[in-house]
């Protein structure tokens, strides 16, 4: 007769070279607790994630805890790897933007713009990008900064149990997503910024909707102040948590709000302006607290500054093209709304199928083969909501990228997790990770 | 075989037209068209030979602050008893970006100098990016580092190469701790071994994965797809114009 697994004869603990291993089969918790209490070794390894709701996607955190104190913390990443960098090497330069928009899915316009700036630099057409395209890129990026920070604040609040902050954050993000949907047709994964310019111009009514959004956001942002900024419970959970000073930030390569919360006003929009950021009037907020609370305040202030930039973008919008004039690079098709959704405009199809053989050949060559990019390499960086988003693009002179590497800020910043969590409480790990604001799509790519 | 009247392209022969672009460093030679390399030549372009060249070494002056950085770096290396010519293989200025090609054994010394010298102060390393050039014999694997100086508001690039047969590069984790994960990632995808890294293991791919996925000889994979009666091959089997 075999003993049943729940019988008291079944040993709950087994000695191995790795230490005591407990096999929990149900109904034996008392034995497990008693055995654990007997052991001198209080060292417990806890796996947080990869499916834990408060670990920001599929992030796995391996904690070694002594009571409530975290003695060691390590990250396990790679659960969301989709091979985007490898896939890019098998598509044309224009198709690449469809892939990179899916990396950090909360900052799609930053991924697209950084990639396109790199391709344009290799092509040597940086100066030929129409002003209107650049202004719309800035407009979209700053709206994107707001929506990304809103998610950071919302999920961070939810992880504390402050569901009201979560509701507020997603309520306001929805307003931004409505604008994306109006402009690009999609709420995420837009592939709207293309090498040479944009996929299409702004649809009618955009400026009014964005102005309405600015007005609404100016009313909504103070609600976060009222709800959280001075809230003693909120402050008690965030202040002095996830501490990382300036030396720590530079050593671990942390940029963005983490670096600015350590007191260094480093922002690539000011230091190495791209897309004409030197012509916009805005401030770079900093804090000197080096903690999660400082990062929260910086994100809040950056949203206000982004609203200022968005407003300036609207004032600067002049009618004009949104794609380079060079027909060897510009996408030949014009998009138009058809009965079955957005697609090639019927006028364009009529022209290439009915009247101009050359236009048909040109369209076919550019869409299937793509354009060639002169050999060389370049590194372009933009200030994403999370920090320095760098793109290393290598071309061998062909119609496909030879190598594209994204230096994603989430990937780099997440390295600081151990330094921010070790020695603290288990509950503070959640706050510290939320203040990094990692997005696993960007970390694993 | 160099021709005295044509010193710029020593390989050029009188009976052949000059190559489209002879300048730069040869990294690969391609034959034929459309990426057809299996079976017979049906494209009719089988005899076509093309060379792929990346921008080559740039002579002085480099322009702007590039000369200042190069001077300071060479001076600082001199002070440490290193011969700059042995350390810096070549310097490339292309598209307003400065690249130092460093001999791999000197990489940590160069990085430390760039970080600590008051006139250089490249405090922030943005990680390492690997590039695989299978046709660049003896220098197949490249590791590319971008260093940012917040103090002086500058950005430079360091590039080191290692042969496929000996894929070792010294680790920079000692100098820039941020390179910890970046070097693991490059090892994971390219098989570049960073000597001196505290724990060089795979980071993105599973621990027991075979091969290094970002190398050019590693297939992308995929299956053909039927679409409206036509069979569309997997992305890495499609016609290539590169």
């Amino acid at each position: 007769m075999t003993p049943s697994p729940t019988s008291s004869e079944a040993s709950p603990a087994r000695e191995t070279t790795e230490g005591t291993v407990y096999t929990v089969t149900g109904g034996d918790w008392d034995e497990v607790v008693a055995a654990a209490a007997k052991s001198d070794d209080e060292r417990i390894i806890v796996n947080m994630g990869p499916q834990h709701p408060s670990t920001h996607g599929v992030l796995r955190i391996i904690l070694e805890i002594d009571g409530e104190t975290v003695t060691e913390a390590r990250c396990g990443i790679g659960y969301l790897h989709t091979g985007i960098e490898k896939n890019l090497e098998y598509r044309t330069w224009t198709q690449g933007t469809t892939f990179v928009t899916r990396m950090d899915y909360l900052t799609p316009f930053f991924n697209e713009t950084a990639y396109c700036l790199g391709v344009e630099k290799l092509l040597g057409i940086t100066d030929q990008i129409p002003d209107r395209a650049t202004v719309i890129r800035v407009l979209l990026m700053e709206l994107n900064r707001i929506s990304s920070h809103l998610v950071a604040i919302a999920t961070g609040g939810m992880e504390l149990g402050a569901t009201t902050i979560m509701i507020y954050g997603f309520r306001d993000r929805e307003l931004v997503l409505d604008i994306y949907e109006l402009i690009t047709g999609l709420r995420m994964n837009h592939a709207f910024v293309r090498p040479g310019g944009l996929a299409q111009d702004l649809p009618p009514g955009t400026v009014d909707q964005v102005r309405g959004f600015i007005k609404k956001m100016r009313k909504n942002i103070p609600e976060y102040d009222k709800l959280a900024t001075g809230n003693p419970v909120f402050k008690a959970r965030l202040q002095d948590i996830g501490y990382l000073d300036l030396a720590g930030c530079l050593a671990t390569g942390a940029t963005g709000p983490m670096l600015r919360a350590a007191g260094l006003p480093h922002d690539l929009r000011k230091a190495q302006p791209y897309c004409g950021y030197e012509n916009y009037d805005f401030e770079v907020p900093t804090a000197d607290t080096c903690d999660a609370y400082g990062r929260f305040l910086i994100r809040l202030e950056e949203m206000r500054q982004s609203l200022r930039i968005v407003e300036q973008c609207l004032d600067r919008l002049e009618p004009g093209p949104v794609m380079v004039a060079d027909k060897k690079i510009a996408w030949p098709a014009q998009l138009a709304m058809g009965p079955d959704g957005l697609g090639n405009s019927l006028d364009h199809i009529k022209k290439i199928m009915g009247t101009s053989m050359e236009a048909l050949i040109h369209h076919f060559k550019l869409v299937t083969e793509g354009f060639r990019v002169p050999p060389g390499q370049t590194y372009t960086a933009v200030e994403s909501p999370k920090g320095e988003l760098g793109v290393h693009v290598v071309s061998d002179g062909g119609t496909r990228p030879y190598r594209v590497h994204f230096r994603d800020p989430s990937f780099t910043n997440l390295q600081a997790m151990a330094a921010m969590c070790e020695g603290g409480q288990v509950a503070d790990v959640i706050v510290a990770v939320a203040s990094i604001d990692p997005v696993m799509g960007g970390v694993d790519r | 075989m160099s021709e005295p009247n044509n010193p710029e392209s020593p390989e050029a022969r009188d009976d052949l037209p000059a190559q489209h672009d002879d300048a730069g460093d040869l990294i690969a030679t391609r034959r034929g068209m459309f990426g057809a390399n299996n079976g017979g030549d049906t494209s009719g372009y089988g005899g076509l030979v093309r060379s792929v060249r990346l921008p080559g070494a740039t002579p002085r002056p480099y322009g702007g602050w590039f000369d200042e950085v190069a001077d300071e770096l060479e001076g600082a290396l001199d002070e440490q008893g290193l011969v700059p010519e042995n350390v810096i293989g070549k310097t490339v200025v292309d598209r307003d970006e400065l690249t130092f090609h460093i001999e791999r054994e000197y990489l940590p010394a160069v990085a430390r100098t760039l970080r600590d010298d008051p006139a250089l102060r490249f405090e922030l390393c943005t990680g390492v990016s690997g590039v695989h050039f299978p046709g660049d014999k003896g220098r197949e694997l490249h590791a590319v580092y971008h260093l940012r100086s917040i103090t002086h508001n500058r950005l430079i690039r360091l590039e080191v190469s290692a042969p496929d047969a000996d894929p070792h590069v010294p680790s920079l984790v000692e100098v820039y701790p941020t390179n910890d994960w970046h070097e693991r990632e490059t090892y994971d995808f390219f098989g570049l071994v960073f000597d001196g890294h505290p724990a060089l293991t795979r980071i993105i791919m599973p621990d027991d994965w075979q091969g290094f996925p970002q190398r050019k000889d590693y297939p992308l994979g995929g299956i053909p797809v039927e679409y409206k009666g036509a069979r569309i091959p997997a992305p890495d089997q499609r016609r290539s114009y590169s």
Side-chain angles (χ1 to χ4, degrees):
Chain A
M1 186 186 146
T2 51
S4 85
T6 48
S7 75
S8 55
E9 286 101 71
S11 163
R14 184 161 53 88
E15 294 299 327
T16 69
T17 51
E18 301 286 315
T20 313
V21 170
Y22 300 100
T23 311
V24 185
T25 53
D28 57 351
W29 285 106
D30 291 342
E31 291 163 39
V32 172
V33 171
K38 237 192 302 176
S39 152
D40 296 327
D41 189 9
E42 287 286 305
R43 187 168 165 268
I44 298 176
I45 310 271
V46 174
N47 257 307
M48 201 187 260
Q51 269 93 22
H52 193 281
S54 72
T55 54
H56 277 262
V58 282
L59 169 63
R60 175 179 165 217
I61 300 176
I62 304 136
L63 298 173
E64 183 188 301
I65 54 175
D66 181 6
E68 273 291 310
T69 309
V70 176
T71 50
E72 268 198 77
R74 292 290 179 271
C75 281
I77 61 171
Y79 295 94
L80 204 56
H81 178 60
T82 44
I84 288 177
E85 288 176 5
K86 177 84 175 170
N87 267 292
L88 287 173
E89 295 168 13
Y90 294 90
R91 317 285 164 151
T92 66
W93 292 94
T94 305
Q95 283 175 314
T97 177
T98 319
F99 282 82
V100 301
T101 189
R102 285 159 167 79
M103 288 186 163
D104 184 342
Y105 42 81
L106 293 182
T107 61
F109 292 114
F110 290 93
N111 302 341
E112 293 171 23
T113 308
Y115 169 78
C116 291
L117 288 176
V119 177
E120 286 157 8
K121 193 164 183 192
L122 282 176
L123 283 166
I125 58 166
T126 308
D127 300 334
Q128 300 166 31
I129 307 304
D131 282 346
R132 187 173 172 88
T134 304
V135 172
I136 296 174
R137 283 178 182 182
V138 173
L139 174 90
L140 288 169
M141 281 196 285
E142 293 308 322
L143 287 172
N144 203 167
R145 191 181 311 278
I146 295 172
S147 70
S148 171
H149 280 344
L150 282 170
V151 174
I153 291 172
T155 54
M158 181 175 68
E159 289 158 11
L160 298 175
T163 44
T164 316
I165 299 181
M166 188 269 281
I167 298 287
Y168 277 22
F170 280 104
R171 174 198 66 187
D172 292 341
R173 175 174 179 257
E174 203 59 30
L175 303 173
V176 188
L177 294 189
D178 285 344
I179 297 175
Y180 295 165
E181 198 176 345
L182 176 72
I183 296 175
T184 73
L186 297 161
R187 287 158 56 89
M188 60 199 302
N189 303 338
H190 314 277
F192 185 71
V193 183
R194 303 275 175 89
L198 303 171
Q200 60 172 341
D201 204 350
L202 296 179
T206 308
V207 174
D208 291 339
Q209 178 150 350
V210 176
R211 285 212 194 276
F213 164 76
I214 294 171
K215 213 170 139 200
K216 211 167 204 171
M217 266 320 269
R218 290 244 158 89
K219 212 168 78 232
N220 287 358
I221 288 181
E223 290 183 2
Y224 296 89
D225 278 327
K226 281 186 198 147
L227 187 65
T229 305
N231 185 326
V233 181
F234 189 78
K235 280 166 83 172
R237 285 301 306 272
L238 265 70
Q239 273 178 334
D240 299 327
I241 301 302
Y243 187 90
L244 193 69
D245 62 7
L246 187 55
C249 282
L250 286 174
T252 54
T255 46
M258 289 176 76
L259 185 59
R260 291 192 281 275
L264 189 71
H266 175 66
D267 188 320
L268 289 173
R269 293 177 293 173
K270 291 277 190 201
Q272 300 271 330
Y274 50 91
C275 288
Y277 267 110
E278 64 273 25
N279 304 322
Y280 293 90
D281 183 24
F282 64 99
E283 311 283 329
V284 177
T286 55
D288 56 1
T289 54
C290 309
D291 61 359
Y293 186 65
R295 287 168 208 138
F296 165 77
L297 293 181
I298 285 176
R299 291 203 172 96
L300 213 52
E301 183 55 32
E302 282 189 1
M303 291 201 295
R304 291 200 184 92
Q305 298 297 330
S306 290
L307 282 179
R308 282 177 67 190
I309 302 175
V310 169
E311 206 160 38
Q312 293 169 50
C313 287
L314 293 179
D315 296 339
R316 269 161 210 233
L317 271 180
E318 299 284 347
V322 292
M323 199 29 124
V324 283
D326 188 349
K327 290 290 179 202
K328 297 260 182 209
I329 294 164
W331 195 250
Q334 274 72 51
L335 292 173
M337 190 62 79
D340 56 347
L342 200 64
N344 286 346
S345 85
L346 287 176
D347 287 341
H348 179 70
I349 292 172
K350 203 183 276 172
K351 184 182 168 215
I352 62 172
M353 301 306 286
T355 60
S356 174
M357 170 79 84
E358 288 73 21
L360 176 65
I361 295 170
H362 175 75
H363 181 118
F364 181 76
K365 287 278 279 180
L366 206 53
V367 173
T368 58
E369 181 176 332
F371 50 80
R372 287 178 190 277
V373 173
Q377 58 179 333
T378 183
Y379 178 85
T380 46
V382 300
E383 185 73 30
S384 102
K386 279 123 191 157
E388 173 169 348
L389 174 69
V391 190
H392 178 224
V393 190
V394 185
S395 171
D396 65 344
T399 56
R400 296 167 169 185
Y402 191 76
R403 162 92 170 122
V404 180
H405 174 68
F406 268 66
R407 184 255 188 215
D408 195 279
S410 295
F411 178 83
T412 313
N413 293 356
L414 200 53
Q415 286 189 94
M417 192 278 297
M420 289 160 64
C421 296
E422 286 178 4
Q425 305 271 297
V426 180
D428 295 339
V429 172
I430 307 291
V431 178
V433 172
S435 77
I436 299 175
D437 185 24
V439 173
M440 300 315 287
V443 174
D444 296 338
R445 279 157 288 140
Chain B
M1 64 183 274
S2 101
E3 301 279 327
N5 58 349
N6 195 2
E8 272 137 23
S9 52
E11 289 158 55
R13 274 167 41 195
D14 286 323
D15 54 338
L16 284 178
Q19 283 276 329
H20 171 58
D21 189 7
D22 269 345
D25 296 335
L26 186 75
I27 53 146
T29 306
R30 304 232 166 97
R31 288 169 190 284
M33 264 185 109
F34 308 131
N37 48 19
N38 48 347
D41 171 33
T42 53
S43 69
Y45 288 96
L48 195 69
V49 180
R50 272 192 314 119
S51 56
V52 179
R53 289 169 189 275
L54 289 184
T58 313
R60 292 250 195 181
Y62 306 134
W65 51 265
F66 293 170
D67 289 290
E68 199 186 319
V69 168
D71 289 342
E72 290 290 346
L73 178 61
E74 282 171 16
L77 290 174
D78 236 358
E79 275 170 32
Q80 297 170 36
L82 297 169
V83 184
E85 289 75 31
N86 297 345
V87 176
I88 304 171
K90 64 177 174 188
T91 308
V92 180
V93 176
D94 179 47
R95 297 173 168 93
D96 289 331
E97 291 180 25
L98 178 64
T99 310
F100 294 114
H101 288 254
I102 306 290
E103 296 302 324
R104 55 178 166 163
E105 59 267 36
Y106 298 109
L107 179 66
V110 171
R112 192 172 286 278
T113 309
L114 287 168
R115 187 193 68 178
D116 292 343
D117 192 291
L120 298 167
R121 281 264 191 273
F122 288 89
E123 307 99 337
L124 190 66
C125 180
T126 66
V128 51
S129 161
V131 190
H132 186 208
F133 294 109
D136 197 5
K137 291 287 168 244
R139 301 161 34 85
E140 284 91 350
L141 294 164
H142 289 226
V144 185
Y145 303 82
H146 294 94
L147 306 181
R148 187 179 287 287
S149 165
I150 296 177
T151 309
H152 301 291
N153 198 15
R154 290 166 177 170
L155 181 86
I156 60 167
R157 178 185 298 126
L158 300 183
E159 191 162 343
V160 293
S161 65
D164 216 353
D166 178 33
H168 289 266
V169 170
S171 167
L172 282 189
V173 175
E174 278 280 282
V175 186
Y176 294 113
T178 175
N179 273 18
D180 181 351
W181 282 18
H182 290 278
E183 287 181 2
R184 285 177 64 191
E185 187 190 352
T186 308
Y187 161 73
D188 197 349
F189 287 134
F190 290 90
L192 258 178
V193 178
F194 291 90
D195 296 320
H197 188 286
L200 195 69
T201 52
R202 288 192 183 270
I203 184 165
I204 301 280
M205 303 301 285
D207 289 343
D208 54 354
W209 194 263
Q210 297 288 316
F212 302 106
Q214 288 269 17
R215 290 196 180 195
K216 287 289 174 185
D217 49 8
Y218 191 102
L220 178 68
I223 53 162
V225 179
E226 292 273 326
Y227 182 69
K228 295 196 174 178
R231 190 168 163 278
I232 315 294
D236 59 350
Q237 302 299 317
R238 288 178 202 161
R239 174 178 290 182
S240 156
Y241 300 90
S242 287

